Amino acid sequence: GDSVTQMEGPVTLSEEAFLTINCTYTATGYPSLFWYVQYPGEGLQLLLKATKADDKGSNKGFEATYRKETTSFHLEKGSVQVSDSAVYFCALKIPQGYQKVTFGTGTKLQVIP
Amino acid sequence: GAVVSQHPSWVICKSGTSVKIECRSLDFQATTMFWYRQFPKQSLMLMATSNEGSKATYEQGVEKDKFLINHASLTLSTLTVTSAHPEDSSFYICSARQATNTGELFFGEGSRLTVL
């Protein structure tokens, strides 16, 4: 079945450090890929997405590239801030049927001043 | 952006009682709504998909009679946890899909259920 695997956390970084959160997927067909962010005490928000191979999604300094050859969608940011502390979820959506979204386990990021 | 609201955000109930959680799309019509359950330190587990005016589609392993889902209108879906037990304690999150070409998903704030 469809699945998403992302690196376990928590990830602790100093402010202005470089961030990478790995995400790989298994899916039939050609899924759309997403990163969602959940700030403390809040619901999930879409951070960025990519709908086809080689697409790069970007938002708020974060970016991720849809790599079909490695079935990956790693999240990166060049310089993290304390306000980026949150849980990040990688997810995929199969375009057929109900188009349900399958999530990874989430990676907690803590950025310290 | 589009807003999805869940109510209540936090509920405590006694074992054996039923609890209803509402999910509303406030400024758009949602043809499809999804209910997820989030365990501590774990991912969101899709429980069911509900389409307005039809029966919900439950994921494997989710008890239909335990978790009743109703999607009576294009802006409201409800999840009722029947005869709740402590193991039902969890964070329940709904999401709604806009009835547009993009079909983007928007998430509610979540509802934390604690069963004593």
Side-chain angles (χ1 to χ4, degrees):
Chain A
D2 305 324
S3 67
V4 177
T5 302
Q6 59 182 107
M7 62 188 290
E8 289 190 25
V11 174
T12 302
L13 296 174
S14 297
E15 209 165 18
E16 299 184 0
F18 184 87
L19 168 71
T20 299
I21 300 178
N22 290 336
C23 171
T24 57
Y25 67 90
T26 302
T28 54
Y30 301 95
S32 296
L33 302 174
F34 306 83
W35 277 100
Y36 284 86
V37 57
Q38 185 178 31
Y39 297 103
E42 300 183 16
L44 274 74
Q45 302 172 29
L46 178 64
L47 180 60
L48 53 84
K49 67 179 180 181
T51 57
K52 62 183 187 295
D54 299 325
D55 267 2
K56 177 184 284 188
S58 61
N59 185 26
K60 299 181 180 180
F62 292 89
E63 59 181 35
T65 302
Y66 190 145
R67 301 287 187 198
K68 187 171 181 293
E69 63 276 13
T70 54
T71 60
S72 65
F73 193 55
H74 304 322
L75 181 69
E76 296 181 335
K77 186 173 185 181
S79 177
V80 293
Q81 306 299 314
V82 173
S83 57
D84 294 326
S85 298
V87 180
Y88 293 82
F89 291 91
C90 185
L92 66 82
K93 181 180 75 172
I94 300 298
Q96 290 79 31
Y98 289 125
Q99 303 183 44
K100 67 181 184 181
V101 178
T102 300
F103 287 86
T105 51
T107 302
K108 184 175 182 178
L109 169 66
Q110 184 176 9
V111 181
I112 55 178
Chain B
V3 178
V4 175
S5 178
Q6 279 184 243
H7 178 80
S9 57
W10 186 48
V11 57
I12 301 174
C13 70
K14 293 181 179 180
S15 186
T17 61
S18 295
V19 174
K20 179 185 285 187
I21 300 171
E22 294 185 345
C23 176
R24 293 181 183 273
S25 56
L26 298 185
D27 51 2
F28 67 99
Q29 293 185 329
T31 51
T32 305
M33 288 185 172
F34 303 88
W35 285 95
Y36 292 85
R37 183 172 176 177
Q38 185 177 29
F39 296 93
K41 299 183 180 181
Q42 292 188 29
S43 178
L44 283 76
M45 180 193 78
L46 178 64
M47 299 174 66
T49 302
S50 72
N51 288 289
E52 184 264 339
S54 62
K55 289 184 179 180
T57 302
Y58 289 81
E59 294 299 302
Q60 192 172 7
V62 178
E63 299 177 60
K64 301 179 183 181
D65 296 330
K66 175 91 178 150
F67 299 99
L68 300 179
I69 291 173
N70 182 274
H71 193 159
S73 75
L74 284 172
T75 59
L76 174 65
S77 176
T78 59
L79 166 68
T80 302
V81 183
T82 62
S83 187
H85 289 96
E87 57 266 30
D88 299 325
S89 299
S90 192
F91 197 56
Y92 294 88
I93 301 177
C94 76
S95 67
R97 169 168 291 131
Q98 277 188 301
T100 63
N101 287 335
T102 63
E104 185 173 347
L105 272 184
F106 296 93
F107 286 81
E109 316 93 323
S111 300
R112 182 163 300 284
L113 170 63
T114 301
V115 184
L116 302 176

